[in-house]
């Protein structure tokens, strides 16, 4: 049995269908919103995420940039998000690719690597400024330097020596030309009479006393020192007690 519809009834049927749909979505709007809310992003911020700088380390020396960035992660997968927030279970890395760049200062865009497709990352800052120089290594003598000639206890610091007395400094060609002296800086406030040596980090300084970007081999040296106990020469005056 075939049912025939009159053309005159068609507009009424379409209007009825439209109102039925509006009524349906109005009644079920809460359920619909819940469906879409399942895609609501969770968000976490991570500080001090290391930057993986990719370059030819045999040929170049790079410096002048911060080694970490902040990353804001968001996504619907809360378990995956918590996994990436934890540094022990993290899969993604932040990469600065310098492989196609030569000597000079460059603005490099940071990218994420191995990040789950269910997550989105915002990197802050998005770019870093990197200086690339041709790599060079030379040997330098190390001089011990004190922050003060006396310790907190008033002990005077005597003669000092460094072991090893020479280190190999690796840096860029232009930076190497700026090196005025290489020192092992010792904080005198940490010296006591119970010790005769301390480990100190090697630094390369320019003529203005500013530290330069270098790699030292070894990174630390042992500074041996003498502590002189304070002394003073005084005059003696006899005082008579009793009767002769």
């Amino acid at each position: 049995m075939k049912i025939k519809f009159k053309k005159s009834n068609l507009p009424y049927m379409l209007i009825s269908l439209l109102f039925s749909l509006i009524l349906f979505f109005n009644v079920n709007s809460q359920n619909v919103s819940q469906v879409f809310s399942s895609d609501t992003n969770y968000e976490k911020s991570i500080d001090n995420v290391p930057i993986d700088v990719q370059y030819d380390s045999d040929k170049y020396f790079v410096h002048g940039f911060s080694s970490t960035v902040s990353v804001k992660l968001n996504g619907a997968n809360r378990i995956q998000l918590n996994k990436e927030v934890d540094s022990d279970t993290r899969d993604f890395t932040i990469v600065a690719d310098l492989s196609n760049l030569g000597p000079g200062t460059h603005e490099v865009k940071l990218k994420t690597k191995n990040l789950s497709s269910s997550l989105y990352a915002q990197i802050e800052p998005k770019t870093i400024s990197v200086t690339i120089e041709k790599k060079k290594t030379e040997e330098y003598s190390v001089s011990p330097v004190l922050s003060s000639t006396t310790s907190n206890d008033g002990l005077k610091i005597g003669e000092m020596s460094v072991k090893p007395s020479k280190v190999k400094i690796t840096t860029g060609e232009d930076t190497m030309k700026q090196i005025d002296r290489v020192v092992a800086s010792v904080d005198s406030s940490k010296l006591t009479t119970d010790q005769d040596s301390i480990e100190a980090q090697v630094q390369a300084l320019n003529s203005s006393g500013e530290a330069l970007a270098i790699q030292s081999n070894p990174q630390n040296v042992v500074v041996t020192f003498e502590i002189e106990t304070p002394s003073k020469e005084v005059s003696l005056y006899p005082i008579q007690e009793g009767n002769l």
Side-chain angles (χ1 to χ4, degrees):
M1 178 178 177
K2 294 183 179 179
I3 299 175
K4 293 184 179 180
F5 296 99
K6 293 182 180 180
K7 290 184 179 180
S8 59
N9 294 332
L10 185 58
Y12 297 103
M13 293 175 63
L14 291 175
I15 293 172
S16 299
L17 179 60
L18 178 61
F19 277 107
S20 298
L21 290 173
I22 293 173
L23 183 61
F24 172 80
F25 282 109
N26 185 49
V27 172
N28 293 279
S29 59
Q30 186 174 358
N31 294 332
V32 172
S33 64
Q34 286 177 353
V35 170
F36 284 102
S37 67
S38 64
D39 293 332
T40 301
N41 286 349
Y42 298 102
E43 188 177 282
K44 288 285 182 72
S45 295
I46 319 170
D47 295 324
N48 302 318
V49 179
I51 301 174
D52 179 16
V53 183
Q54 299 178 347
Y55 67 103
D56 186 350
S57 58
D58 295 327
K59 187 177 180 180
Y60 296 116
F61 182 85
V62 300
H63 61 94
F65 62 94
S66 174
S67 59
T68 62
V69 290
S70 297
V71 179
K72 184 184 289 183
L73 292 178
N74 57 69
N77 191 330
R78 192 170 189 174
I79 295 175
Q80 185 68 36
L81 179 65
N82 290 335
K83 177 178 179 291
E84 296 296 349
V85 168
D86 190 340
S87 59
D88 294 329
T89 57
R90 184 179 301 159
D91 289 329
F92 86 93
T93 55
I94 302 297
V95 175
D97 188 1
L98 316 182
S99 55
N100 295 322
L101 300 176
T105 300
H106 307 273
E107 197 74 18
V108 182
K109 186 176 181 180
L110 300 176
K111 298 179 180 179
T112 57
K113 185 178 179 181
N114 298 328
L115 182 66
S116 170
S117 58
S118 64
L119 299 176
Y120 176 74
Q122 291 177 283
I123 308 170
E124 185 60 40
K126 296 177 181 178
T127 62
I128 56 172
S129 180
V130 179
T131 299
I132 304 175
E133 297 182 51
K134 288 186 177 179
K135 194 174 185 179
K136 191 173 183 181
T137 300
E138 286 187 9
E139 191 173 64
Y140 283 84
S141 297
V142 185
S143 303
V145 174
L146 275 177
S147 59
S148 171
T149 56
T150 57
S151 70
N152 279 349
D153 298 327
L155 302 175
K156 188 176 180 181
I157 312 301
E159 187 178 347
M160 297 191 303
S161 60
V162 180
K163 188 176 182 179
S165 59
K166 292 184 177 182
V167 295
K168 288 184 177 180
I169 299 295
T170 299
T171 186
E173 283 185 348
D174 294 336
T175 303
M176 188 75 76
K177 294 174 185 176
Q178 300 177 44
I179 295 178
D180 181 65
R181 61 193 187 278
V182 175
V183 302
S185 183
V186 176
D187 185 354
S188 58
S189 66
K190 296 181 180 179
L191 305 182
T192 66
T193 53
D194 299 331
Q195 61 184 146
D196 57 7
S197 65
I198 192 171
E199 198 173 75
Q201 186 177 7
V202 175
Q203 291 181 307
L205 308 178
N206 61 16
S207 56
S208 301
E210 298 168 333
L212 300 171
I214 62 152
Q215 290 175 351
S216 175
N217 184 22
Q219 198 171 21
N220 298 312
V221 293
V222 176
V223 179
T224 304
F225 55 88
E226 295 177 356
I227 290 185
E228 300 174 358
T229 9
S231 61
K232 182 179 180 181
E233 191 173 302
V234 295
S235 300
L236 297 178
Y237 299 94
I239 298 175
Q240 179 179 330
E241 292 183 359
N243 297 321
L244 294 175

